[in-house]
Amino acid sequence: MKIAIASGKGGTGKTSLAVNLAHKASALYPSLLLDLDVEEPNGSIFFPTPALEHKTLYRKVPVWNREACTLCGACVSTCRYNSLVKIMDQILVLPELCHACYACSELCPAQALPMQDEELGSLSSFRLEALDFMEAKLRIGLQQATPLIAQSLELVQKSHSQKDFYFLDCPPGTSCPMIAATKTADYVILITEPSRFGIWDLSLAVETMRELGKDFGVVVNRWGTAGEGILDYLKKEHVELLATIRDDRRVAELYSKGSLIYDKVPAFDAALETILTKLRSLSCGK
């Protein structure tokens, strides 16, 4: 099963839940954790050893061939991302805006825009006891997180095809990167906090999951700071509450040190056990 851990906003405890849940599950089931928050991955802070492998990933971008070009301008009018500009007697390619759709290259009548490899990012492999962990990281300066997410998911599926659980630490929010990270998931865990901002952004994430047709449940982090508002919302929207994680200073202290939490905070471990019970039942049904 692919289990995506997502949230409508940043700072809800998504990585804390993903790393600890995956590590706990790995003691009983072959498991892999993939950090798909490619613009700011931080799952590796929990893995004290250096990366076992580092793989550079690429995408295709057009390169202008001045000799072949007839300056017809078809490529400029075709590109919906404005990554090509015609300036007098030359075509300027803006690779940072390119989405590698191949339209300009394939529709150029003079074949003056061949596609070539450009570094997109990297995929690093780690291991912590029984847990395999992979971290995808977008190259600084690029904005196309979605292609890197798609490539990473494909490579992980090929290189680690015998896992019982794939835990996906997804980008926050409800934009394209989050959708790309969750669209292949069998189940989505939405983690939130009982604040007004948390409830509002959770509502956006719930709407997104329903639009995608995903089965999902909610974990409420920092429970005890508030609560009635989030419970009212979940009841009104008929959303399953998987578990609550109490607000505890020890959790923040352990996280800040890059340390696992569930083996040191019993209440946190109990919440994870409740979630794993749900995931086991879902797995048996597949």
Side-chain angles (χ1 to χ4, degrees):
M1 285 188 67
K2 292 180 183 175
I3 310 299
I5 294 92
S7 61
K9 64 183 288 292
T12 58
K14 181 168 51 62
T15 298
S16 300
L17 176 62
V19 172
N20 283 273
L21 182 61
H23 189 269
K24 181 177 175 66
S26 69
L28 297 173
Y29 310 99
S31 301
L32 180 141
L33 171 64
L34 174 59
D35 192 340
L36 291 174
D37 190 2
V38 299
E39 294 179 271
E40 46 186 350
N42 63 344
S44 59
I45 66 173
F46 294 93
F47 294 79
T49 58
L52 301 174
E53 184 181 1
H54 184 83
K55 183 179 180 64
T56 302
L57 304 184
Y58 298 89
R59 62 172 184 154
K60 295 289 187 179
V61 296
V63 178
W64 182 52
N65 185 335
R66 179 187 290 271
E67 287 71 26
C69 183
T70 62
L71 295 172
C72 68
C75 57
V76 176
S77 59
T78 297
C79 183
R80 58 187 296 191
Y81 302 108
N82 300 313
S83 62
L84 294 159
V85 181
K86 182 181 179 182
I87 302 177
M88 298 182 67
D89 62 345
Q90 65 177 331
I91 301 296
L92 181 64
V93 179
L94 306 174
E96 292 80 9
L97 299 179
C98 178
H99 282 59
C101 69
Y102 282 74
C104 64
S105 181
E106 294 183 0
L107 297 177
C108 176
Q111 297 183 337
L113 286 164
M115 303 293 282
Q116 75 172 17
D117 284 337
E118 182 188 70
E119 183 180 342
L120 177 61
S122 62
L123 187 63
S124 302
S125 302
F126 301 81
R127 188 169 180 84
L128 181 62
E129 297 171 357
L131 176 64
D132 286 309
F133 169 65
M134 303 186 80
E135 178 183 81
K137 183 179 292 187
L138 188 67
R139 181 169 68 85
I140 294 174
L142 292 183
Q143 300 180 39
Q144 287 77 31
T146 301
L148 180 58
I149 291 171
Q151 279 196 46
S152 300
L153 284 168
E154 183 178 352
L155 285 172
V156 165
Q157 194 67 47
K158 289 180 179 178
S159 61
H160 294 79
S161 59
Q162 301 301 318
K163 300 298 183 183
D164 289 344
F165 287 109
Y166 298 86
F167 294 94
L168 312 177
D169 186 0
C170 302
T174 55
S175 59
C176 294
M178 183 265 211
I179 292 172
T182 58
K183 70 178 182 180
T184 64
D186 300 300
Y187 188 78
V188 179
I189 298 173
L190 296 176
I191 182 167
T192 187
E193 58 190 13
S195 65
R196 291 187 179 183
F197 287 118
I199 296 171
W200 170 255
D201 290 317
L202 173 65
S203 70
L204 300 179
V206 166
E207 183 180 346
T208 302
M209 291 301 102
R210 286 175 171 166
E211 193 70 25
L212 294 174
K214 292 296 178 183
D215 191 12
F216 66 94
V218 169
V219 172
V220 180
N221 194 17
R222 303 187 184 97
W223 182 258
T225 56
E228 293 184 3
I230 188 71
L231 292 180
D232 291 341
Y233 168 78
L234 295 177
K235 182 178 180 180
K236 177 184 176 182
E237 293 294 324
H238 305 286
V239 175
E240 182 179 10
L241 175 63
L242 298 175
T244 59
I245 300 173
R246 294 202 64 83
D247 188 40
D248 190 329
R249 182 182 176 86
R250 289 177 298 170
V251 172
E253 291 174 346
L254 290 166
Y255 180 87
S256 68
K257 297 174 183 177
S259 176
L260 290 171
I261 300 167
Y262 76 94
D263 57 344
K264 304 173 186 69
V265 181
F268 196 99
D269 183 52
L272 296 190
E273 186 61 41
T274 300
I275 297 169
L276 275 177
T277 299
K278 171 68 176 183
L279 298 182
R280 291 189 195 102
S281 66
L282 291 171
S283 180
C284 291
K286 286 194 171 293

